[in-house]
Amino acid sequence: AMVSKSLQIAAVALAVIACASAAPSGKKAGKALVECGKLSVSYCDPQFGCHLDSENVCFFDSSLPTAEVNCTQSLIDAGAAVAAAQTALVTTISTVKTINWGVMQNTSAVMDVLKDSAYKYDQALKSYNQSLIKYNTAVFLLQQYSDALDALEKTCSATVPPPPPTCPALIASAQAKVAQANASVATVWIQVTLAKSMLDIAAGPVDAAEAAVVAGTTAAATRYAEIAKAMAQATAAK
């Protein structure tokens, strides 16, 4: 478990204070190891015989058990705690960098998939719209040729005035145009149906990519929150 920043600072500070204040042979039980009255609230530690009163003033409490101060070991222990926290911070920073890179790569990948699928969908939609235009044009021409044939047949079937001798040829030509236009309508309708199918197919990857982007960005937000928390904890520990 990480040692909090305040406890580590206190550990070093108390070790230094105690070692600076203690006599070479240490203090006997019942006597202050340090001058309690000069310590702040944060450093008023019972292990040195110091205690806070009701007004948060540090004083020597003779009822508290005290032990001799091993200056060398105290400083070693305090330094080790800080060194361990420093190592943990460096490790956390390295881990954060790795996680951050992975999150960025994953987010970029899903965005690229969405971009590619959206482009394909746009192309499919463009083809579908163009096929509809062609179909409407073909239907319009068929209607025009059909109306012209109807009018020609009425003219050629009249007896007064007599129909022109070219009526059979004109009717045959008009019928050929109608037949060709009708075939074009059927052909273009097949293109419309195919384009619609391609559009529906292209919509699937877009929906999947959009869902992946939502999931990816949500996961990224979660990971960034974890990163921020880890950095804050590691920094606090240091």
Side-chain angles (χ1 to χ4, degrees), residues 86-97:
Q86 174 66 25
T87 300
L89 176 59
V90 172
T91 301
T92 299
I93 291 174
S94 177
T95 302
V96 163
K97 288 181 178 179

Side-chain angles (χ1 to χ4, degrees), residues 9 15 22 49 51 92 160 171:
I9 293 177
H51 189 71
T92 299
V160 179
I171 290 175

Side-chain angles (χ1 to χ4, degrees), residues 8-225:
Q8 290 176 9
I9 293 177
V12 176
L14 286 174
V16 173
I17 292 172
C19 289
S21 302
S25 59
K27 295 287 185 177
K28 299 298 183 181
K31 291 190 177 182
L33 294 175
V34 298
E35 295 183 52
C36 299
K38 293 183 179 181
L39 298 180
S40 65
V41 172
S42 300
Y43 299 143
C44 190
D45 197 307
Q47 69 175 313
F48 298 117
C50 300
H51 189 71
L52 291 174
D53 62 15
S54 59
E55 297 180 355
N56 283 337
V57 175
C58 190
F59 71 97
F60 171 64
D61 188 345
S62 59
S63 65
L64 293 174
T66 58
E68 293 186 358
V69 178
N70 185 331
C71 293
T72 301
Q73 190 59 47
S74 294
L75 291 173
I76 289 175
D77 292 343
V82 174
Q86 174 66 25
T87 300
L89 176 59
V90 172
T91 301
T92 299
I93 291 174
S94 177
T95 302
V96 163
K97 288 181 178 179
T98 301
I99 293 174
N100 186 54
W101 176 250
V103 169
M104 289 175 61
Q105 290 292 94
N106 181 67
T107 303
S108 178
V110 295
M111 291 300 291
D112 287 343
V113 171
L114 176 59
K115 180 180 178 181
D116 181 64
S117 59
Y119 174 76
K120 291 179 179 178
Y121 178 81
D122 288 341
Q123 293 299 106
L125 180 60
K126 182 179 179 180
S127 296
Y128 177 64
N129 290 335
Q130 289 175 342
S131 68
L132 287 177
I133 293 173
K134 290 180 180 180
Y135 177 74
N136 291 333
T137 301
V139 170
F140 175 77
L141 289 175
L142 174 60
Q143 187 63 50
Q144 292 291 98
Y145 292 151
S146 297
D147 291 343
L149 177 60
D150 290 342
L152 183 59
E153 288 176 338
K154 288 180 181 180
T155 300
C156 291
S157 63
T159 55
V160 179
T166 55
C167 273
L170 292 173
I171 290 175
S173 176
Q175 288 175 338
K177 288 183 178 180
V178 169
Q180 184 178 5
N182 194 44
S184 295
V185 168
T187 300
V188 175
W189 178 248
I190 294 175
Q191 294 176 356
V192 170
T193 304
L194 179 60
K196 182 60 169 63
S197 298
M198 296 302 293
L199 181 64
D200 292 339
I201 292 173
V206 172
D207 293 339
E210 288 178 343
V213 168
V214 172
T217 52
T218 300
T222 300
R223 295 300 285 156
Y224 282 131

